[in-house]
Amino acid sequence: MHIDFDISPQDTLPIYRQIVEQLRRGIAGGQCRPGDELPSVRALAQLHAINPMTVSKAYSLLEAEGLLERRRGVGMVVASTQPLRAGKGERLALLQPALQAAASQAVQLGLDEQAALRLFQQCLQEEMNK
Amino acid sequence: MHIDFDISPQDTLPIYRQIVEQLRRGIAGGQCRPGDELPSVRALAQLHAINPMTVSKAYSLLEAEGLLERRRGVGMVVASTQPLRAGKGERLALLQPALQAAASQAVQLGLDEQAALRLFQQCLQEEMNK
Amino acid sequence: MHIDFDISPQDTLPIYRQIVEQLRRGIAGGQCRPGDELPSVRALAQLHAINPMTVSKAYSLLEAEGLLERRRGVGMVVASTQPLRAGKGERLALLQPALQAAASQAVQLGLDEQAALRLFQQCLQEEMNK
Amino acid sequence: MHIDFDISPQDTLPIYRQIVEQLRRGIAGGQCRPGDELPSVRALAQLHAINPMTVSKAYSLLEAEGLLERRRGVGMVVASTQPLRAGKGERLALLQPALQAAASQAVQLGLDEQAALRLFQQCLQEEMNK
DNA sequence: GTGGTCTAGACCACA
DNA sequence: GTGGTCTAGACCACT
């Protein structure tokens, strides 16, 4: 598993939920495939200088959701029941909340559609070139 | 003042910060102009079924920031020291974080630029017709 | 809410799951009704001499499952989306795992059906007279 | 020895204790008799896809308890000091905890005695036909 | 080595 | 007062 989590402790979104959502997207997007082993709780905790329990909490939630499976004494793996990649509609649905929030902000800021779209396009291109 | 706040109690962003940020954008976007009166703490609290202290906390923070002024007997008004509307570059800068986050999510989901842009356009149009 | 939890720290079932399952049964059985307030995390923790986080974990899981709702600043209540009492088939399904385990043990112990049933009847009557 | 262990890795009861308790019941029930040879650690581990150390741990505990004996070159056998079969009262006593727990659950679920008994009878019959 | 559970205690957001 | 999040650290079960 070579997903690199992007953890921001000062984000309002709790750390464990940052992990949950990034992993959820990684699985839906096909970046993490069924059977892939996840970084160990301790490794991930140390890498981002956070507490192991915080990572564990995220993993447990995803296990309860059925996205991850626990292999006793081995670690967590992406559940074999997951599709290799979610359908496009499903992935767009996962993206929608973020775009709705951004659209709401754009309108409140009195920006026109074209300006907002151009900025988003620019952000997308930067992100893809990372 | 006819800014209509969009409050989601189950959002991870605390309610008082939802108010603060929406008002900040309303001022930057020119929707709220210097001297405009804000809804009273009680009115806003009742309208959204939230605690008056939550509203009060948001107003106090904005007052401390200099965006709002407390007028005795009148209530809170948008500070007269505010520009009528922030410059477009400034407003785009305020929008950028949300779009960067969305772009990052889109890439993690394995979505292509076109699909993401179309969805954003759709969100913008829905938001403008509210 | 007057559900009295029966917590055994030395049970192999983790404490937070003891709470989860007892509450699940209490709701399915109609003993806890939609809107009922739960004992506060701190109160329950103190009553059973366990850590508040243990209780909190149980409540969070039930919230994620949709059985409980969080009322900010007030506490947890039984979700209003719950039926007053689950259907009989559903409640029997919740009981089945325990009975299957007991049946397996009875067979391993070489006990006959009549003896096992009589003992269960006796246990039921004792339990009902509590 | 043809005791067939029923191992559930996802059960909250640790695997080594599942083995210990099933064997304890098999001995009490007369299914395993003094001198009976147990499956080898490796065989049992392979059969249930569990770690040999887990099986070994279970056997060691039972040896310490005096229920099993280690015979050099042969393996583990049921201790010759065991009675052929425990008395019926004793076996019922071993079954009681499981039934008490089930009875408690039935009452919490608001089920009546008849329904609970019928379900238990059904479980017993299924178990006997295995 | 893996994850799970629990504790004790701190600080935050909300009413 | 309510619950939420996080930390640091201990011990357990399993590979």
Side-chain angles (χ1 to χ4, degrees):
Chain A
M1 274 281 303
H2 30 324
I3 182 169
D4 37 334
F5 292 96
D6 181 14
I7 305 299
S8 318
Q10 78 277 27
D11 193 331
T12 58
L13 194 65
I15 297 174
Y16 79 93
R17 291 213 36 200
Q18 295 180 35
I19 299 174
V20 164
E21 312 225 319
Q22 286 177 41
L23 215 32
R24 219 199 297 268
R25 285 192 291 268
I27 293 171
Q31 188 181 350
C32 304
R33 296 187 300 187
D36 278 359
E37 285 183 19
L38 288 149
S40 84
V41 166
R42 291 159 169 88
L44 198 52
Q46 193 163 12
L47 181 61
H48 293 96
I50 56 180
N51 191 290
M53 268 203 74
T54 305
V55 180
S56 180
K57 190 172 179 179
Y59 282 6
S60 296
L61 283 175
L62 288 164
E63 190 205 1
E65 237 182 275
L67 269 72
L68 299 184
E69 276 172 10
R70 193 181 351 180
R71 296 266 168 87
R72 298 184 92 144
V74 176
M76 309 290 292
V77 300
V78 176
S80 51
T81 57
Q82 289 304 305
L84 233 155
R85 188 193 213 192
K88 196 163 186 180
E90 217 171 310
R91 286 182 280 140
L92 283 169
L94 285 170
L95 178 60
Q96 194 165 26
L99 288 183
Q100 278 173 339
S104 161
Q105 291 184 21
V107 171
Q108 285 180 327
L109 285 164
L111 290 164
D112 59 286
E113 188 182 315
Q114 285 312 312
L117 279 172
R118 264 199 307 277
L119 180 58
F120 185 38
Q121 187 171 29
Q122 193 182 317
C123 289
L124 280 166
Q125 285 166 0
E126 274 174 24
E127 193 64 34
M128 286 177 179
N129 293 333
K130 267 193 182 167
Chain B
M1 271 283 299
H2 33 321
I3 183 169
D4 38 336
F5 292 96
D6 183 12
I7 305 299
S8 317
Q10 76 274 35
D11 194 331
T12 58
L13 194 66
I15 294 176
Y16 80 96
R17 288 206 46 195
Q18 294 182 33
I19 298 173
V20 164
E21 312 224 322
Q22 286 178 37
L23 214 32
R24 225 197 294 265
R25 284 192 293 267
I27 292 170
Q31 188 179 353
C32 304
R33 295 184 299 190
D36 277 359
E37 288 180 22
L38 287 144
S40 77
V41 167
R42 286 187 188 177
L44 197 51
Q46 194 164 11
L47 182 60
H48 294 95
I50 57 181
N51 194 295
M53 280 191 59
T54 305
V55 180
S56 178
K57 186 172 184 177
Y59 281 5
S60 299
L61 280 173
L62 288 163
E63 189 193 6
E65 235 183 280
L67 269 72
L68 297 184
E69 284 172 8
R70 206 175 290 268
R71 290 266 173 85
R72 304 215 154 224
V74 176
M76 304 293 288
V77 301
V78 176
S80 51
T81 56
Q82 289 303 306
L84 234 156
R85 189 192 209 190
K88 193 163 185 180
E90 212 171 314
R91 286 181 283 140
L92 283 169
L94 285 170
L95 179 60
Q96 195 166 25
L99 288 182
Q100 278 173 337
S104 161
Q105 291 184 20
V107 171
Q108 284 182 323
L109 285 165
L111 291 164
D112 58 286
E113 188 182 314
Q114 284 312 311
L117 280 171
R118 264 200 307 276
L119 181 58
F120 185 39
Q121 186 171 31
Q122 191 181 317
C123 289
L124 281 165
Q125 285 165 2
E126 274 174 23
E127 195 63 35
M128 286 175 179
N129 292 332
K130 265 190 183 171
Chain C
M1 273 281 303
H2 31 323
I3 183 169
D4 37 333
F5 293 95
D6 182 12
I7 306 299
S8 317
Q10 78 277 27
D11 194 332
T12 58
L13 193 65
I15 297 174
Y16 78 94
R17 292 211 37 199
Q18 295 181 35
I19 298 174
V20 163
E21 312 225 320
Q22 285 177 40
L23 215 31
R24 219 199 297 269
R25 286 193 291 267
I27 293 171
Q31 189 180 349
C32 304
R33 297 188 299 187
D36 277 0
E37 285 183 21
L38 288 148
S40 83
V41 166
R42 292 160 169 90
L44 199 51
Q46 194 163 11
L47 181 61
H48 293 95
I50 56 180
N51 192 290
M53 268 203 73
T54 304
V55 179
S56 181
K57 190 172 180 178
Y59 282 5
S60 297
L61 283 175
L62 288 164
E63 189 203 2
E65 237 182 275
L67 268 71
L68 299 184
E69 275 171 10
R70 193 179 352 179
R71 295 269 167 85
R72 298 183 94 144
V74 175
M76 308 290 291
V77 301
V78 176
S80 51
T81 56
Q82 289 304 306
L84 233 155
R85 189 194 213 191
K88 196 164 185 179
E90 217 171 308
R91 287 181 281 141
L92 283 169
L94 286 169
L95 178 60
Q96 194 165 26
L99 288 183
Q100 278 173 339
S104 161
Q105 292 184 19
V107 170
Q108 285 179 327
L109 286 164
L111 290 164
D112 58 285
E113 189 183 313
Q114 285 313 312
L117 280 171
R118 264 199 308 277
L119 181 57
F120 185 38
Q121 187 171 30
Q122 192 182 315
C123 289
L124 281 165
Q125 285 166 1
E126 274 173 24
E127 194 64 36
M128 287 176 179
N129 293 332
K130 264 191 184 169
Chain D
M1 273 284 300
H2 34 319
I3 182 170
D4 38 334
F5 292 96
D6 182 13
I7 305 299
S8 318
Q10 76 274 35
D11 195 330
T12 58
L13 194 66
I15 295 175
Y16 79 97
R17 288 207 46 196
Q18 293 181 34
I19 298 174
V20 164
E21 312 224 321
Q22 286 177 38
L23 214 33
R24 223 198 295 266
R25 285 193 291 267
I27 292 171
Q31 189 180 351
C32 304
R33 295 183 300 190
D36 278 358
E37 288 180 21
L38 286 145
S40 78
V41 167
R42 286 187 188 178
L44 196 52
Q46 194 163 10
L47 181 61
H48 293 95
I50 56 180
N51 194 293
M53 280 192 59
T54 306
V55 180
S56 179
K57 186 171 183 178
Y59 282 5
S60 299
L61 280 173
L62 288 162
E63 189 193 7
E65 233 183 281
L67 269 71
L68 298 184
E69 284 172 9
R70 207 173 288 267
R71 291 264 174 86
R72 304 214 152 225
V74 177
M76 304 293 288
V77 301
V78 176
S80 52
T81 56
Q82 289 303 307
L84 233 157
R85 188 192 210 191
K88 194 164 185 180
E90 212 172 313
R91 287 181 280 139
L92 283 169
L94 285 169
L95 178 60
Q96 195 167 26
L99 289 183
Q100 279 173 338
S104 162
Q105 293 184 19
V107 171
Q108 283 182 324
L109 285 165
L111 290 165
D112 58 284
E113 189 183 313
Q114 285 312 312
L117 279 171
R118 264 199 306 276
L119 181 58
F120 185 38
Q121 187 172 30
Q122 192 182 317
C123 290
L124 280 166
Q125 285 166 2
E126 274 173 23
E127 195 64 35
M128 286 174 179
N129 294 333
K130 264 191 184 168

